[in-house]
Amino acid sequence: MMAVVVEGSHSFLPNSNQYILWFPPSPPPPTTTTNQKPLSTPPGISKRHRARLTKAAAAETQEIRVCTNRTCRKQGSFQTLEVVTDLAPPDITVKSSGCLGRCGSGPNVALLPQGIIVNHCGTAAKAAQFMATAANVSDGNISKSLEALALRKTAQAESDLANFSKAEELLSLAIDLQPFGGIHIMYKYRSLARLAMRNYLGALEDAREALRLAPRYLEAYMCEGDIFMAMEEYDAAEKSYLTCLQIDPSIRRSKSFKTRVEKLNEKLSAANMPLNQHE
């Protein structure tokens, strides 16, 4: 059970504008001693009040930062970063960060712009619970979301082995679970699997669904361009790749993107429609 710890006057941390939502760590072995007094929920904070604080915390979340500094890294913050990234809705940006303070109580995660700090977020379940809070969804969907994420990871492994039919099957199961976040990524991966199987219409449908869910999802535009290339619709491929550049101009330095542009230029040159260079 997640406890909401509110310290200081007006439910704020002293000298700051932060709440703390605290995941209590597992109890230490009987032989272990510590000088740090664990936080606890102050008396008088009702469940209704906790729910209001949690809802307020989630309402305007734009960015999540996961500390990957030395202490949090040893406590598993890279796993936390991976899970939070994979389950984040498209409108929430996830980044790694330097130290967020409270070393030893990590992995620590921050919600911005509210300045909410979450401690002890060191397991996949706790990371998913945190992400559900940030996305303002019910806890009941956490287990299904983790199951969907596990299916997606297995599907990626199958794709790496060129078992695209199996990957498609696993991704379909993951999508059917309707995870609260990351479903646009699953559509993108299923699109890639279907592209590899030369199911171009199915691949295009999935790429467009990913873009409907996440309109600025660069990888889905890249996938859409690849599908159009396979379908020999080069003008449409050009549009998709140019959209990638509009979203992230730095992608022009990517070796894989340069390869795509060169291949497209060859096709367009043959049709007397050269793509403008963006180098």
Side-chain angles (χ1 to χ4, degrees):
M1 177 68 67
M2 181 179 69
V4 178
V5 179
V6 184
E7 301 178 335
S9 61
H10 303 293
S11 302
F12 287 100
L13 289 177
N15 303 319
S16 75
N17 294 318
Q18 297 180 344
Y19 294 114
I20 282 189
L21 281 73
W22 181 56
F23 291 108
S26 301
T31 57
T32 301
T33 60
T34 178
N35 294 325
Q36 182 178 356
K37 185 178 179 179
L39 297 175
S40 59
T41 305
I45 302 298
S46 66
K47 290 183 178 180
R48 184 177 179 182
H49 189 189
R50 292 191 190 105
R52 285 203 304 269
L53 292 176
T54 301
K55 186 173 182 179
E60 298 178 358
T61 300
Q62 299 173 8
E63 183 176 319
I64 293 171
R65 294 184 184 177
V66 180
C67 175
T68 54
N69 208 29
R70 181 173 59 186
T71 303
C72 281
R73 185 167 64 244
K74 290 179 179 178
Q75 295 172 324
S77 64
F78 278 118
Q79 180 195 31
T80 301
L81 177 62
E82 181 180 10
V83 173
V84 171
T85 300
D86 287 340
L87 290 180
D91 57 345
I92 297 180
T93 302
V94 180
K95 298 179 180 179
S96 61
S97 78
C99 184
L100 297 173
R102 302 185 66 86
C103 298
S105 298
N108 298 318
V109 185
L111 279 74
L112 300 176
Q114 307 97 312
I116 298 170
I117 305 295
V118 180
N119 308 128
H120 299 293
C121 194
T123 66
K126 288 179 179 179
Q129 185 179 31
F130 160 76
M131 192 66 252
T133 300
N136 198 18
V137 299
S138 65
D139 290 352
N141 203 18
I142 291 176
S143 60
K144 286 187 177 181
S145 297
L146 285 173
E147 183 182 352
L149 179 56
L151 286 167
R152 197 202 91 189
K153 296 291 186 181
T154 304
Q156 289 176 244
E158 294 292 343
S159 290
D160 291 341
L161 297 173
N163 296 330
F164 301 114
S165 178
K166 183 64 175 178
E168 180 191 27
E169 177 186 347
L170 292 169
L171 288 163
S172 296
L173 291 173
I175 290 169
D176 288 344
L177 288 171
Q178 291 295 300
F180 61 75
I183 194 168
H184 60 295
I185 303 175
M186 296 171 189
Y187 274 110
K188 187 264 296 188
Y189 276 112
R190 193 172 72 173
S191 178
L192 290 173
R194 288 177 168 177
L195 173 59
M197 298 166 63
R198 299 184 180 181
N199 177 4
Y200 300 141
L201 292 180
L204 186 59
E205 180 182 348
D206 278 350
R208 287 177 169 171
E209 180 63 17
L211 290 170
R212 185 189 69 81
L213 295 168
R216 292 184 60 81
Y217 187 21
L218 186 147
E219 292 183 25
Y221 277 111
M222 192 84 72
C223 182
E224 183 185 56
D226 293 347
I227 297 165
F228 284 132
M229 286 291 292
M231 297 173 70
E232 300 183 355
E233 296 185 15
Y234 304 123
D235 53 342
E238 176 186 5
K239 182 178 179 180
S240 297
Y241 293 150
L242 289 176
T243 303
C244 292
L245 280 171
Q246 292 171 2
I247 294 173
D248 181 10
S250 68
I251 198 175
R252 72 186 63 193
R253 296 191 292 270
S254 165
K255 184 177 180 180
S256 63
F257 187 76
K258 287 180 179 179
T259 300
R260 285 177 168 89
V261 171
E262 290 171 359
K263 183 177 179 181
L264 179 57
N265 271 329
E266 292 175 1
K267 300 296 185 180
L268 291 176
S269 294
N272 297 317
M273 296 185 299
L275 174 66
N276 293 329
Q277 295 299 315
H278 298 273
E279 304 299 333

